[in-house]
Amino acid sequence: MLSAARGVLLDWDGCIAVNNRILPGAKQFITQNADRVAIVSNNSTHLPADLGEILAGHGVALPSDRIFLAGVEALRSVARSGVSRVMLCAAPRMRGFARSLGLRVVQDNPEAVVLMRDAHFTYRKLERAANALRQGARLIVANADRTHPGPYGRVVPETGALLAALLACVDERSVEPWVAGKPCPMLFERACEGLAITPEEAVMIGDNPETDGEGAARLGIRPILIGGASHLSLLDLLEPVAA
């Protein structure tokens, strides 16, 4: 599957890195497959250039236009939709990016609530967001993951955990979240477009059976699972080095 693919989509957390620290084999794998690699991640706290800098610090060159992140793509979609006033629960980095797209970040009377991983999420933010939804604001979510892998086997609370708290405060029948990240198709489609390939010409390598595995398969992308319940790692996918 891997040798036949024209495009290789790679997850970030738990696949390339944990806590943004590059995992064994990741540098060599990306280098071996540099011309056909794109990163497809539910990350909602960084910009593509940020992950590019992390890779560059390990001697890996990957253009930012081949890094597709749920937070960035969610905000781009909101900006293209014509919405201008957003309540944004997100890291400061993403708030600055939202403003660069022409979005007006507000605390009251938004047209949309945009939810991302927010390490400074508070009861007050929850109250404001819930009432904005009750008043008719749309709900845009970077990803529905409740956690992602952290160091030493720990988990890091993700956007989906905040989403669960927010939906507990509203009538879920009246709120239909739009989700940008995996397993929804948008990130996969954007990556295939960026590599100028069809989904059938790609493989998706990741550690999450639901987001990376099932999400890719629904679009016709062949998944390869590593880590977790899988016996494979990126080290197992490296091409043999000639003696």
Side-chain angles (χ1 to χ4, degrees):
M1 288 170 57
L2 184 57
S3 61
R6 290 188 59 218
V8 179
L9 314 185
L10 285 174
D11 183 36
W12 181 262
D13 287 303
C15 180
I16 296 175
V18 169
N19 200 31
N20 290 330
R21 295 183 178 179
I22 304 299
L23 292 171
K27 174 181 176 178
Q28 189 175 351
F29 183 87
I30 295 173
T31 300
Q32 285 184 351
N33 298 278
D35 293 339
R36 57 178 183 154
V37 161
I39 292 173
V40 181
S41 171
N42 276 352
N43 182 298
S44 65
T45 54
H46 294 78
L47 304 181
D50 300 329
L51 300 194
E53 287 180 10
I54 293 171
L55 290 171
H58 289 80
V60 180
L62 188 69
S64 294
D65 61 5
R66 280 201 266 141
I67 301 175
F68 301 91
L69 308 179
V72 167
E73 298 302 330
L75 287 172
R76 285 176 173 161
S77 295
V78 172
R80 288 193 298 264
S81 74
V83 167
S84 60
R85 292 174 56 87
V86 298
M87 180 181 296
L88 180 55
C89 299
R93 185 82 164 129
M94 304 310 296
R95 296 171 70 86
F97 181 68
R99 293 188 179 98
S100 76
L101 295 174
L103 295 171
R104 184 179 175 191
V105 180
V106 299
Q107 292 188 342
D108 299 298
N109 301 315
E111 298 169 74
V113 173
V114 183
L115 187 64
M116 303 187 182
R117 189 166 82 85
D118 183 354
H120 299 287
F121 195 71
T122 63
Y123 183 90
R124 181 61 173 152
K125 288 183 181 180
L126 177 61
E127 179 186 7
R128 283 178 172 156
N131 282 289
L133 295 180
R134 289 170 62 88
Q135 292 165 9
R138 297 165 54 189
L139 178 56
I140 312 297
V141 184
N143 69 77
D145 296 347
R146 291 177 184 259
T147 64
H148 71 244
Y152 310 112
R154 295 170 66 87
V155 297
V156 178
E158 255 293 351
T159 310
L162 307 184
L163 175 61
L166 184 53
L167 292 179
C169 300
V170 299
D171 180 357
E172 292 190 38
R173 295 170 296 180
S174 66
V175 177
E176 186 175 355
W178 181 83
V179 181
K182 302 174 293 184
C184 298
M186 185 178 69
L187 286 184
F188 298 117
E189 291 171 341
R190 292 278 291 114
C192 288
E193 290 169 4
L195 292 172
I197 60 172
T198 66
E200 292 76 15
E201 294 174 310
V203 295
M204 174 70 211
I205 300 175
D207 66 313
N208 189 312
E210 295 179 359
T211 56
D212 300 316
E214 293 178 19
R218 286 179 206 161
L219 206 61
I221 299 171
R222 293 160 295 176
I224 299 175
L225 292 177
I226 64 174
S230 172
H231 66 282
L232 294 175
S233 72
L234 278 184
L235 291 169
D236 299 305
L237 303 182
L238 293 174
E239 296 177 7
V241 178

